[in-house]
Amino acid sequence: MEENFRDSIGTITEEGKRNWIFPKKPSGRYYDYRKYVSYFLLVFLIAAPFVKINGHQFLLFNVLDRRFNIFGLPFWPQDFHLVVVSMIIGVIFIALFTVAYGRIFCGWMCPQTIFLEMVFRRIEYWIDGDRGAQIRLDKAPWTGKKIRKRLLKWSVFFLISFFIANVFLAYLIGSDQLVAYITDGPLAHLSTMVPLLIFTAVFYFIFAWFREQVCIIACPYGRLQGVLLDNKSIVVAYDHKRGEGENGRKKFRKNENREALGHGDCIDCFQCVNVCPTGIDIRNGTQLECVNCTACIDECDHIMDSINKPKGLIRYASEDEITQDKKFKFTARMKGYTAVLVVLIGILVGMLFMRNEVEANVLRLPGQLYERKDNNIISNVYTYKLVNKTTKDIDNVSFELMSHKGTIKMVSQETFTVPAEEMAEGTLFIEINASALNGDKDKLKIGVYSGDKLIETTVTQFLAPRSYN
């Protein structure tokens, strides 16, 4: 067993250099299913920033302007607590999903895998050929043919990377803004063009060179696998009991009775290794590099078919299923994750229903004390901010004191309009007779009205002389 132990990843040589992976072009039923899922997700990823619901971009993450749309619903910085709860739900869901089904997300839904395997790798197969042709081309001298192939591939990769960067930018600044920038031309918006080219270079580096290293080295989710998986998790697994038999695996020989000789069904053809995009041997068990892409399942099933052996030597299974023939069960750990997930989803749904369409903040102007006026009147100056989260203008907005008798005087007009999805701010004075105050720091409840309709309430503090306690 010691000679099979390894303390380094499969994409690094013993000298510490990059071990470039040339995976065989996969084919089979799982690969076909993955293509359907991948193309659907690619269409969704590309279309999401350009689809609008009630005038809102379907997905928008404009960090600079602090504006976010999730599934067509606008969110503001004041809704950050909802984002926090959503992120916690996402983490718990990923943990539950990984405990139950391993890294199936990595192989089927991760954007890195989808772009690499279903876009860039397929283009590479089209230009450079399959595994054998790619290896020969890599070792060949720099002839005219090799230069043409390399330039064609690198150019196509760069154009796709530039396209991905533009889609990424649409998520950040909005699709309308992106279209306007494209219409105006790059020279009119150099401050945006430079970051766009930087993102293009990053995507090109990832998909043209770094590749599977993202999953192995950079992605923190891959590192969590060792913590979250156990013997009951469903993973892409090699049935070592069936494959090894009593006397281990052996090359295939026609008309040989392998069972009588004590050999397993694995014929040591290495096709599962050749097709793996991370270059591992799945027969060594669950490993850090495995992204559950199922390429080895399809390849092994094809080999088993060709030698008239049953499929499933490599399949989705747990370690307990292979060694003890135990079927998948919902464990106590999974039930615990599920309970936490249900509670958090319930909290999020409740918070969404309680989310106000208008957010109001009235704060005392920093550094200003109270002002004493005639007739025992105490005055404080405030700034207000009103956020309209709806798609309609809010007209005839005004403030009224609800907790004390007094007056609110606006610095500008008495009523104003808050535009749709915009913020209104300004200054106001609150004047209260000292006899109506309970101390030197009173809490005031202020109502925000649209005409005669109360649309929001907020609380602020009112300062007065101590002598009026």
Side-chain angles (χ1 to χ4, degrees), residues 382-401:
Y382 297 83
T383 59
Y384 67 84
K385 288 184 179 180
L386 285 179
V387 178
N388 180 2
K389 302 175 184 178
T390 70
T391 57
K392 297 179 180 179
D393 293 349
I394 301 177
D395 299 318
N396 299 319
V397 177
S398 61
F399 296 95
E400 291 185 19
L401 280 173

Side-chain angles (χ1 to χ4, degrees), residues 28 44 91 192 222 247 253 270 282 332 403 409:
F44 175 83
V91 171
T192 302
N247 296 322
R253 289 185 181 177
F270 279 91
I282 192 65
S403 58
K409 294 182 178 180

Side-chain angles (χ1 to χ4, degrees), residues 53-334:
I53 298 177
N54 295 325
H56 294 122
Q57 189 168 307
F58 190 70
L59 288 175
L60 173 68
F61 306 97
N62 192 333
V63 178
L64 296 178
D65 292 339
R66 297 180 297 173
R67 300 184 66 173
F68 309 90
N69 293 343
I70 301 176
F71 304 132
L73 297 174
F75 289 86
W76 292 74
Q78 291 83 356
D79 299 315
F80 185 72
H81 58 286
L82 298 175
V83 177
V84 172
V85 175
S86 300
M87 292 177 66
I88 295 173
I89 289 174
V91 171
I92 299 297
F93 177 78
I94 289 174
L96 171 62
F97 205 70
T98 306
V99 167
Y101 301 109
R103 289 180 71 177
I104 191 171
F105 171 84
C106 297
W108 290 73
M109 290 170 280
C110 176
Q112 161 70 16
T113 305
I114 291 173
F115 276 113
L116 177 59
E117 300 300 328
M118 296 300 171
V119 179
F120 289 88
R121 195 87 78 179
R122 288 174 67 84
I123 291 171
E124 195 167 55
Y125 289 135
W126 170 60
I127 297 174
D128 291 348
D130 208 341
R131 169 182 163 82
Q134 289 183 25
I135 293 175
R136 289 192 297 272
L137 184 65
D138 183 65
K139 293 180 179 179
W142 283 92
T143 61
K145 181 181 179 181
K146 181 173 180 177
I147 292 173
R148 286 193 301 271
K149 282 180 176 286
R150 286 288 185 260
L151 288 177
L152 175 61
K153 183 174 74 171
W154 293 341
S155 299
V156 174
F157 280 10
F158 181 83
L159 290 175
I160 296 176
S161 298
F162 184 72
F163 174 75
I164 296 172
N166 275 271
V167 174
F168 182 73
L169 188 63
Y171 280 97
L172 296 180
I173 67 173
S175 56
D176 292 341
Q177 193 71 39
L178 176 65
V179 172
Y181 285 171
I182 294 173
T183 305
D184 295 341
L187 294 179
H189 302 282
L190 286 177
S191 60
T192 302
M193 190 63 184
V194 172
L196 182 64
L197 291 176
I198 292 173
F199 278 120
T200 300
V202 170
F203 287 128
Y204 180 83
F205 170 76
I206 289 173
F207 295 117
W209 191 83
F210 205 48
R211 298 193 159 196
E212 71 283 340
Q213 303 285 79
V214 173
C215 308
I216 299 171
I217 299 174
C219 180
Y221 177 52
R223 298 290 177 174
L224 286 174
Q225 180 181 217
V227 179
L228 297 174
L229 295 184
D230 58 24
N231 289 344
K232 299 174 180 62
S233 302
I234 302 294
V235 295
V236 172
Y238 166 67
D239 189 342
H240 54 86
K241 290 180 66 177
R242 174 187 156 191
E244 303 296 314
E246 293 181 4
N247 296 322
R249 61 187 80 132
K250 184 178 182 292
K251 294 289 184 182
F252 177 74
R253 289 185 181 177
K254 196 173 182 180
N255 300 323
E256 183 180 60
N257 190 338
R258 299 175 64 86
E259 188 174 348
L261 294 173
H263 295 294
D265 286 352
C266 178
I267 63 173
D268 211 19
C269 63
F270 279 91
Q271 292 307 303
C272 59
V273 180
N274 293 338
V275 80
C276 179
T278 58
I280 65 167
D281 189 339
I282 192 65
R283 296 173 297 178
N284 292 332
T286 302
Q287 295 156 73
L288 167 70
E289 298 94 330
C290 180
V291 294
N292 284 23
C293 70
T294 69
C296 55
I297 296 180
D298 284 333
E299 198 64 28
C300 187
D301 283 350
H302 172 70
I303 296 297
M304 291 297 105
D305 261 348
S306 64
I307 62 172
N308 297 317
K309 292 286 185 180
K311 298 178 181 179
L313 181 58
I314 302 175
R315 63 183 186 273
Y316 275 120
S318 67
E319 182 67 24
D320 283 355
E321 180 182 342
I322 290 174
T323 57
Q324 305 173 34
D325 200 27
K326 288 184 178 180
K327 297 300 180 183
F328 175 76
K329 289 184 179 180
F330 215 59
T331 64
R333 183 160 68 137
M334 295 178 195

